[in-house]
């Protein structure tokens, strides 16, 4: 089935790009619910899935609202207000979802007759339920995405800047045609080929929001909620190399400034790790690693993220740039 989104000159003028933490939240959760050895995210999933399961998030609110296939609740992907919204801003928008939209999304999910406690609360007391959904989103983010966000965000922002430059050089039509193999521009209409859900102008407002995504691969996903502009989430460029270990060509130069132990820790943090894991891998004492991590965190080179009873440390984008100038 093909669907078409017609464009006026005004619609083209209102077409924009945005990086959305919530799109990455729902699509990454879907990746975890569909284990696949062929997924480009298998390295990430192998690290994250055990944490999510231990926290019980694999059978919580997101599991009810983000099935492994098909439609997912639209209120989980509110319209970004700018090109780079924060997770907090998008979660606040979720908390403010009108009750009628929540109930409409439940109908589209096909859970109208389901009487589980979560679905029932969403249907009967949406405001209370949305507060619980928001809390779970924040918990999932801290476990699954926050330690990796610097890397994912860099990929998504690079995609936006590349395509914005392409628009300036070649025009919107060419860029729209190159988003995905199932998307093509045809005489004033954006056509989505082989899609079960239609995307038409009468379902949504004016313009178009283009959302690069690391985890939507290999498909494009859409959101149409009137009067918001339609959204199209597409696989960002460079996903295949997202989880490859980063080279550290500047290790010696960085060690001359930070010291070899702290540079070694930064190198090990190509994958988020706990103090105990770092001590084991680096041959340092846990107390020594802890002191070094405090110094690196104060310098903005690492971030800390709670994972159950332990804390995971992750390298920041600043540290990545330092090690890979």
């Amino acid at each position: 089935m093909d669907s078409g989104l017609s464009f006026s000159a005004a619609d083209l003028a209102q077409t924009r790009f945005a990086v959305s933490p919530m799109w990455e939240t729902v699509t990454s959760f879907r990746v975890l619910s569909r284990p696949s050895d062929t997924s480009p995210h298998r390295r990430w999933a192998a690290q994250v899935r055990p944490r999510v399961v231990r926290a019980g998030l694999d059978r919580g609110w997101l599991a009810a609202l983000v099935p492994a296939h098909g439609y997912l609740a639209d209120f989980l992907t509110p319209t970004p207000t700018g090109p780079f919204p924060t997770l907090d801003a998008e979660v606040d928008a979720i908390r403010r979802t009108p009750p009628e939209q929540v109930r409409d999304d439940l109908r589209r999910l096909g859970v109208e007759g389901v009487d589980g406690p979560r679905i029932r609360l969403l249907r009967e007391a949406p405001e209370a339920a949305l507060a619980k959904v928001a809390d779970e989103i924040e918990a999932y983010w801290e476990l699954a995405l926050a330690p990796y966000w610097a890397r994912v965000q860099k990929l998504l922002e690079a995609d936006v800047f590349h395509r914005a430059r392409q628009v300036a050089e070649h025009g919107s039509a060419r860029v729209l045609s190159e988003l995905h193999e199932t998307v093509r521009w045809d005489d004033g209409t954006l056509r989505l080929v082989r899609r079960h859900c239609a995307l038409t102008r009468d379902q949504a407002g004016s313009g178009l929001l283009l959302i690069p995504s690391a985890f939507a691969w290999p498909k494009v996903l859409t959101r149409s909620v009137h009067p918001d502009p339609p959204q199209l989430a597409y696989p960002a460029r460079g996903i295949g190399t997202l989880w490859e270990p980063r080279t550290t060509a500047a290790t010696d130069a960085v060690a001359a400034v930070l010291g070899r132990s702290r540079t070694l820790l930064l190198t090990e943090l190509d994958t988020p790790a706990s103090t105990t894991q770092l001590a084991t891998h680096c041959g340092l004492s846990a107390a020594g690693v802890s002191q070094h991590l405090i110094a690196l965190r104060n310098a903005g080179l690492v971030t800390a993220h709670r994972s159950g009873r332990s804390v995971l440390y992750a390298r920041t984008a600043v540290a990545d740039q330092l090690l890979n100038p």
Side-chain angles (χ1 to χ4, degrees), residues 72-85:
L72 55 86
D74 285 322
F75 69 79
L76 293 176
T77 51
T79 300
T81 56
F84 305 109

Side-chain angles (χ1 to χ4, degrees), residues 37 55 99 121 128 236 254 272 305:
D37 293 335
L121 187 61
V254 173
H305 309 275

Side-chain angles (χ1 to χ4, degrees), residues 264 278-285 289:
L264 177 59
L278 290 168
T280 300
H281 294 164
C282 298
L284 301 171
S285 69
V289 169

Side-chain angles (χ1 to χ4, degrees), residues 234-299:
Y234 62 91
R237 301 168 68 250
I239 293 171
T241 61
L242 178 60
W243 306 116
E244 289 182 357
R246 304 295 173 88
T247 58
T248 53
T251 298
D252 290 341
V254 173
V257 178
L258 297 181
R260 294 212 169 270
S261 293
R262 291 176 183 176
T263 303
L264 177 59
L265 290 173
L266 285 181
T267 303
E268 284 292 324
L269 285 175
D270 193 67
T271 297
S274 67
T275 300
T276 302
Q277 290 170 326
L278 290 168
T280 300
H281 294 164
C282 298
L284 301 171
S285 69
V289 169
S290 181
Q291 291 178 351
H292 289 315
L293 289 173
I294 290 172
L296 292 170
R297 186 178 181 183
N298 290 339

Side-chain angles (χ1 to χ4, degrees), residues 62-206:
L62 285 173
L65 297 170
V66 184
H69 302 278
Y71 174 79
L72 55 86
D74 285 322
F75 69 79
L76 293 176
T77 51
T79 300
T81 56
F84 305 109
T86 63
L87 177 71
D88 287 346
E90 294 197 316
V91 170
D92 285 344
I94 290 171
R95 288 191 178 99
R96 299 193 302 271
T97 303
E100 58 271 20
Q101 184 183 341
V102 174
R103 296 185 182 105
D104 185 58
D105 286 1
L106 293 180
R107 284 191 291 271
R108 296 183 66 186
L109 272 171
V111 294
E112 185 66 23
V114 175
D115 200 33
R118 291 186 178 88
I119 298 301
R120 185 167 60 250
L121 187 61
L122 276 164
R123 187 183 300 118
E124 298 175 359
E127 291 184 5
L130 289 174
K132 295 179 181 295
V133 172
D135 289 344
E136 184 173 300
I137 288 169
E138 291 169 346
Y140 173 79
W141 178 271
E142 191 67 13
L143 286 177
L145 288 174
Y148 307 88
W149 185 240
R151 180 177 291 202
V152 174
Q153 185 177 35
K154 183 177 180 180
L155 175 86
L156 302 181
E157 291 180 352
D159 184 277
V160 170
F161 295 140
H162 168 80
R163 296 188 193 277
R165 186 170 62 250
Q166 292 293 94
V167 169
E169 293 178 359
H170 305 291
S172 299
R174 175 167 166 177
V175 172
L176 291 170
S177 292
E178 294 178 350
L179 289 174
H180 191 264
E181 62 181 3
T182 63
V183 178
R184 70 171 186 264
W185 179 257
D186 181 14
D187 192 24
T189 300
L190 188 68
R191 300 197 180 279
L192 296 125
V193 183
R194 301 189 305 275
R195 284 194 54 81
H196 297 292
C197 299
L199 182 65
T200 59
R201 186 59 67 187
D202 59 4
Q203 294 177 316
S206 59

